[in-house]
Every structure is written in C-alpha cells, then in structure tokens.
Amino acid sequence: MENSRSSESTFRVTPLTRVRRQPKRGSYEKGDAFAILDEGLVASVGFAHEGQPLVLPMAYSRDAERLILHAATSSRFGHALANGARLCVTVTLLDGIVLARSAMHHSLNYRSVVVLGSAVELTTRVEKLAALAALVDHVSPGRSAECRPPNELELRATRVFAVALEEVSVKRRSGDPCDDADDLELPYWAGVIPLEQRAMVPIADTTHAPRADVPSTASGYTRCKS
Amino acid sequence: MENSRSSESTFRVTPLTRVRRQPKRGSYEKGDAFAILDEGLVASVGFAHEGQPLVLPMAYSRDAERLILHAATSSRFGHALANGARLCVTVTLLDGIVLARSAMHHSLNYRSVVVLGSAVELTTRVEKLAALAALVDHVSPGRSAECRPPNELELRATRVFAVALEEVSVKRRSGDPCDDADDLELPYWAGVIPLEQRAMVPIADTTHAPRADVPSTASGYTRCKS
C-alpha cells in the first residue's frame, strides 16, 4: 500500500493538511510541492519545546519523497527529533507585492509548502554521508564532489534526519489584485510589484585566497525554476 | 518596571530566547531585531493545534515594541490566538550562500528574528483600523492612505492581534566561509554568493486598468535597509 501510494501524483489530504482559508489557493500535487521545495533554500522548522512552539530557519534538502534535515548532536532540536517530536517544515517563496484598491485586498504573491510529520534518524555512515551530501548539493548542485567530505569527528557531531513527504500541502497566490467590483473605479493604482531573489557576483574568501577558480555553478548561480 | 524596561536598548535574555548554537551569532539588541522585522515581508508563524506544531507564512507589521498580526475571524489561527496560545514568530532574510572548502562548513548568510509570546486581541474599532493600516504600510509605506480603508463588514470578518516584543532574539551569519585551518590549501573554490531580493517593474492590474498612475513608492520599490 505504501509503495502504491508513493507512486501517485497527489498527496492524500488529511484534516490537518487540508487548506481551509482560500481553498482555491491550495494544491496537493506532488509536482507543485517538489518544485517549491527544490527552489527554496531555507525552511522554517516548527517544533514544540516544553509546550512552546519554536520556529527556526534551517537548511534542508529533498531526497525523492523525503525531506533531509540535520542538527548538532547535542542540540535541543536534535533531541526533539530523535524523540519523535511532531514537526512542521514550511518553505515560502515570495513572488510579489499585491497593491489593491482596498486595504483588505492587499496581499502577497507567494508559493509555500507545509510538511507535517515526525523525523526518522539516519544512523548508518553511508546514509549520513549521502544525506549530508544532499544538503550541500541542494544549495549548489554537484558541490558535494567539489569539497572535502565530512570526517569522522564531524559525522559524530551531526545527527541527520528524514521526514517522509506524506502530510503535505501547497498554498500559493499569483497574479492580479482581486478588488471588489464596487472598488474598481476608485482613483488608486492597483497591481503587482514582482519580487525576485537574485544571485550577485561571487566573492572569494577574503581571509584566505581559494586555490581554485570560481566554479560556473557559482558564477552563473540560479535556483531551479519549474 | 515595564516602562523602564522598554526604554532599554536590549531584550532581557530568557532560557528560551538565549541563542544556544553558535552563541556568537546571537544578538539581543532591539535595534538589530527591529531592522530585520522592518525589512522582512513575511513571517513564519508557529502555533500548536491539538499538539501539532503548525508554521504558516503571514503578513505582519511592527508597531514600536509590538508585532501586529491578523486572522480571519473564523480561522483556527484566530481562535488559537484569542485563546492565548503560545506563539513563535520568525522572520528570516537570506543574504547569501556560503561555499566552504569542506562540506560541513557550507552555510547560508542570513539575518533572523525569533519572537516568542502570546497575542492580545485588539478589539476596538480605532485600534483595529490603526493595526490594519500598519499592516498595509509595512508592505508599502503610506499606502494605507492611498486605498479604501476597511469597511464594517471587513472589520467584523477580521481579528487583529498584537504580540509584545519582549521575548526576542536575533541570530545572523555574514561574511566569509570559516574553514578549518587544515583545509585552507585544498584545491576548491571558497567564498560567498550574495543573494538579493529585488523589486521589478510594477505590473498594473491586467483585468481592470487602474484609474491612477503608478505611485513612486511602487515604481522605485525597495525595502528599508538599516
């Protein structure tokens, strides 16, 4: 059953993943979720610590239908995950500012993914090395082969976790403002200011000159768009 | 006491707000936190729903030493806030990709603020109108005076909340990679790819032509940098 479900193209909707506000902006298509996760660089990871929700920005990577996270071995977050804490991993890409004719129709254009679940710790050396390479390659494809891999000390100091991409929803807004019909003649400008995240010219380490040229993946850096 | 504390320039550190991992990257300066909150557009707001942490992207605004949030009157989030739920509001600005000579020193340059607390609902008409105007003006300064203000129906459909900026911490990373001394001669490039969020040329509502020219705040849009 698990295998057959993971070959489907949509996530199963649950009471917690169903998009309640503005359901037309929701999606449960795996392709939509994967595209956002692959483009994003930072996840906002929520977990509870003694009843207090904490949301921390973290690097992540997608490996097929799992999300990879890592934590310092001694960290509060690592302990929480190893103890099976429920998690919410949210990735948000901001695409524009929506200026409407009325205050309440002002909005943002965005694409977001919300992943719920618990983490499984990856404990074998092979699994940990692959997951840590995936975290580096998520930020810059192929980079894990162009740097020193983790050594034994670093592996011991780092816990690696996987969260199954099962309880997942996408929510997004795009395009024009949606003003009320009665407001369309009001004497205000309305439209969208598109926002774009751009990579600038790479800056070589200023403290110790690198022993290699800037790789083309850095000088022509872009995030995957799908 | 409250008054005298709010005139101080730093937040009081608590066990929950103390930055534990890489404490040198932490700050409790109000100026640092306010600058990040003022530049950000989206907050990742964490709260628990029946034991499950949820992290949702939301608009917000800073009003002196409070954060303003809003919710649909009938929403799960609005109910949780009105019932005094503990919150975590995290704003993250991404500044660059750090490519190091070793996999484990890869990193991101970022600035983030974590705000813990509970919300107070603002219930008077005057307070609600001011808070909703602040939400619009956060995205585009002065815009609340250049659009139709909320009407009675919209005010009833919207709950407005304030979270005191008291339990607050900043964490950020900037600058060069920090490789181990033993790795500095390795034949890999190391440095930073700076990232920048840019506003593009505004696009007027394509469904109904606006009855006004593009305001200069939209055509020359930038986020405050401090």
Side-chain angles (χ1 to χ4, degrees), chain A residues 44 52 55 86 90 100-101 103 143 148 176 183 185 189-190 192 194 196 198 200 203 205-206 208 211, chain B residues 44 52 55 86 90 100-101 103 143 148 176 183 185 189-190 192 194 196 198 200 203 205-206 208 211:
Chain A
S44 295
Q52 168 69 55
V55 179
R86 290 290 294 179
T90 298
R101 295 161 184 89
R143 178 73 189 176
R148 175 179 66 69
D176 290 307
D183 291 333
E185 306 298 320
W189 188 80
V192 173
E196 190 181 76
R198 282 222 214 159
M200 320 290 278
I203 301 168
D205 186 345
T206 62
H208 302 89
R211 303 283 189 239
Chain B
S44 295
Q52 167 69 54
V55 179
R86 290 290 294 178
T90 298
R101 295 160 184 89
R143 178 73 187 177
R148 174 180 65 70
D176 290 307
D183 292 333
E185 307 298 320
W189 188 81
V192 172
E196 190 181 77
R198 283 224 212 155
M200 320 290 278
I203 302 168
D205 186 344
T206 62
H208 301 90
R211 304 284 190 235

Side-chain angles (χ1 to χ4, degrees), chain A residues 103 188, chain B residues 133 136-137 140-149:
Chain A
Y188 306 121
Chain B
V136 171
D137 289 333
S140 185
R143 178 73 187 177
S144 67
E146 292 174 12
C147 62
R148 174 180 65 70

Side-chain angles (χ1 to χ4, degrees), chain A residues 133-226:
Chain A
L135 287 171
V136 171
D137 289 333
H138 177 76
V139 170
S140 184
R143 178 73 189 176
S144 67
E146 292 174 12
C147 62
R148 175 179 66 69
N151 60 32
E152 297 309 312
L153 195 69
E154 290 169 335
L155 281 176
R156 276 201 300 278
T158 308
R159 299 175 95 153
V160 180
F161 299 92
V163 182
L165 290 170
E166 290 175 351
E167 298 176 66
V168 180
S169 64
V170 165
K171 195 172 178 185
R172 67 271 209 256
R173 188 201 188 285
S174 62
D176 290 307
C178 298
D179 274 305
D180 297 344
D182 286 352
D183 291 333
L184 292 173
E185 306 298 320
L186 290 177
Y188 306 121
W189 188 80
V192 173
I193 306 172
L195 297 174
E196 190 181 76
Q197 188 178 66
R198 282 222 214 159
M200 320 290 278
V201 177
I203 301 168
D205 186 345
T206 62
T207 62
H208 302 89
R211 303 283 189 239
D213 293 334
V214 190
S216 61
T217 44
S219 55
Y221 193 84
T222 54
R223 295 304 294 165
C224 43
K225 303 261 182 185
S226 48

Side-chain angles (χ1 to χ4, degrees), chain B residues 127-190:
Chain B
E127 285 176 314
K128 287 182 76 170
L129 283 171
L132 292 169
L135 287 170
V136 171
D137 289 333
H138 177 77
V139 170
S140 185
R143 178 73 187 177
S144 67
E146 292 174 12
C147 62
R148 174 180 65 70
N151 60 32
E152 298 309 313
L153 195 69
E154 290 168 334
L155 282 176
R156 276 201 299 279
T158 308
R159 301 175 93 152
V160 181
F161 299 92
V163 182
L165 291 170
E166 290 175 351
E167 298 176 67
V168 179
S169 64
V170 166
K171 195 171 179 186
R172 65 270 207 261
R173 188 200 189 286
S174 62
D176 290 307
C178 298
D179 274 305
D180 297 345
D182 286 351
D183 292 333
L184 292 173
E185 307 298 320
L186 291 176
Y188 305 121
W189 188 81

Side-chain angles (χ1 to χ4, degrees), chain B residues 98-153:
Chain B
V98 183
L99 301 179
R101 295 160 184 89
S102 67
M104 294 306 292
H105 281 296
H106 278 67
S107 189
L108 295 168
N109 281 339
Y110 66 95
R111 290 164 288 153
S112 68
V113 181
V114 172
V115 177
L116 305 179
S118 300
V120 171
E121 186 165 2
L122 306 182
T123 54
T124 72
R125 191 170 185 284
V126 170
E127 285 176 314
K128 287 182 76 170
L129 283 171
L132 292 169
L135 287 170
V136 171
D137 289 333
H138 177 77
V139 170
S140 185
R143 178 73 187 177
S144 67
E146 292 174 12
C147 62
R148 174 180 65 70
N151 60 32
E152 298 309 313
L153 195 69

